[in-house]
Amino acid sequence: MQIWFESIAEQRRQYSCVFQEDAVSMIEVVATLSRGPVFLAGETLECLITFTNPLSHRSTSASSEMLAWASAQILCQFHGSENRVALPSEGPKQDVQAKSDTVLVPNRGERGHCMLSTPPKILFCDLRLDPGESKSYSYCETVPLDAPPTFRGQSVKYVYKLTIGCQRVNSPIKLLRVPFRVLVVHGLEDPPFPRDEVVAPSNPFLEEEEGVKKDSRLLEIATEMLMMTTSRRSQHLFNITNVRGKVGKFCIFKMVYRIGEDIVGTFDFSEGDIPCLQFSVSLQSEEHVEEQYQRRPGQPASLTAHTRHQESCLHTAATHFCLPIPLSATPGFNTDIVSLRWRLHFEFVTARDPVEPPTVPENQSEVITWTGADHIDVDTFSWDLPIKVLPTNPVLASYVTQFPGSNSITI
């Protein structure tokens, strides 16, 4: 979406003398996300945008600065790998480098395609700032409920930024971008309980604005849904076997997790016929490009390993592992172009022949050092166990995000 603001700047050329008198004077713009840089789709993003004319030793009464206008909007930029994603041709590509500096192009200089753009909101027109004076404006916008999540994969990327455009009289448009992260909780369109019901007890002595109340209620509904889904536990037992016989058993107590949780599983090798020498467990995400968008027919999924546990287990009767799911990881999702799935990838190394355990004589008083065999013929095999990974409370995810939540420029 392009918005023509040149006429606004033309109508205010009488202020150009201000900038000619003090060409070195700059206006500082600071944008801060009030709650942090992580939001659920459907939540309201709130940003405080402050414009300051710094006070210097050369400031005089004639050092006032004038801004013609400022606006803000949310953009989601999509970028696909040319080696893995074949997007349908949409005619000539639009050049996001504006021919004129007085035309607002919010995604100027960005790679890829604009997948989502909220309508721009005008923060002000004709803002005059005296030396040392600041003016702050609050920008609020709801992240669309059907928006894709933030994702930086090997095949595609979905990147969100709050873009603030502002212009001084007789000057080019400047853009300030504040990146943020979006998590998607499926089912908020039709929650298990009505939206108008309060999930948590409310305080009758506190007055809340309707927008804040509605937004906090959506967060409570999403958190309640995630807790209900991921707190269900039941024992899942799997027999580990290869072509030679039974190796052991694997037990896990749930198959659905939130980012930030630990995956705990146990192994029982006491009843196995085949000795297990070593095993490893990796937490992996699979990035599948939908068939109609694949660059090559039948191209494999892109795999990303997040955490890994490896252990030598010869003569071990039982053991366990604990794999944390990073808070920075993207939960599973589906779009028209790509889908992300999660799995546990197991690899086992087993002996082809029995391995005798060390024996200690009954009357032995000294320490005995047992030395393993110099050579063992082994077999290797792997196994994949699909699991589900869901989002968590965005406030919790904000603690480990790479986004600062506050950006600034001088114009």
Side-chain angles (χ1 to χ4, degrees), residues 262-265 307-309 320-324:
D262 292 335
I263 302 174
V264 179
T307 50
R308 187 172 184 266
H309 174 89
H320 73 283
F321 69 87
C322 180
L323 292 178

Side-chain angles (χ1 to χ4, degrees), residues 82-198:
E82 295 182 356
N83 296 326
R84 302 189 61 84
V85 180
L87 296 176
S89 177
E90 299 180 354
K93 293 184 178 180
Q94 179 184 2
D95 186 3
V96 297
Q97 302 291 342
K99 295 181 180 179
S100 172
D101 287 335
T102 56
V103 175
L104 175 62
V105 182
N107 59 335
R108 185 206 317 266
E110 295 285 330
R111 298 176 62 193
H113 307 272
C114 183
M115 295 287 292
L116 182 151
S117 175
T118 61
K121 292 184 177 180
I122 302 298
L123 301 177
F124 61 79
C125 289
D126 291 342
L127 174 63
R128 187 183 187 91
L129 292 174
D130 294 327
E133 184 180 7
S134 295
K135 289 287 181 67
S136 296
Y137 298 87
S138 179
Y139 168 80
C140 294
E141 184 62 88
T142 300
V143 181
L145 200 56
D146 58 350
T150 297
F151 179 58
R152 292 181 177 270
Q154 300 180 42
S155 299
V156 303
K157 293 178 174 63
Y158 293 101
V159 179
Y160 283 86
K161 292 179 182 178
L162 169 62
T163 301
I164 301 159
C166 46
Q167 184 182 23
R168 297 173 66 156
V169 179
N170 295 335
S171 300
I173 293 175
K174 298 294 185 179
L175 298 177
L176 170 60
R177 295 186 173 101
V178 184
F180 62 96
R181 182 184 181 189
V182 172
L183 300 173
V184 175
V185 178
H186 299 286
L188 286 181
E189 305 89 346
D190 186 22
F193 28 81
R195 283 179 179 268
D196 56 354
E197 289 186 7
V198 179

Side-chain angles (χ1 to χ4, degrees), residues 188-240:
L188 286 181
E189 305 89 346
D190 186 22
F193 28 81
R195 283 179 179 268
D196 56 354
E197 289 186 7
V198 179
V199 178
S202 59
N203 190 335
F205 300 101
L206 296 178
E207 294 184 2
E208 292 184 282
E209 295 182 4
E210 188 61 30
V212 176
K213 196 173 182 180
K214 180 180 178 181
D215 203 43
S216 62
R217 192 170 303 167
L218 182 139
L219 180 58
E220 290 171 351
I221 291 174
T223 303
E224 184 75 10
M225 289 175 58
L226 292 171
M227 290 295 294
M228 289 172 56
T229 304
T230 58
S231 61
R232 300 178 185 139
R233 292 177 175 270
S234 61
Q235 190 179 48
H236 300 269
L237 284 173
F238 301 90
N239 288 320
I240 307 170

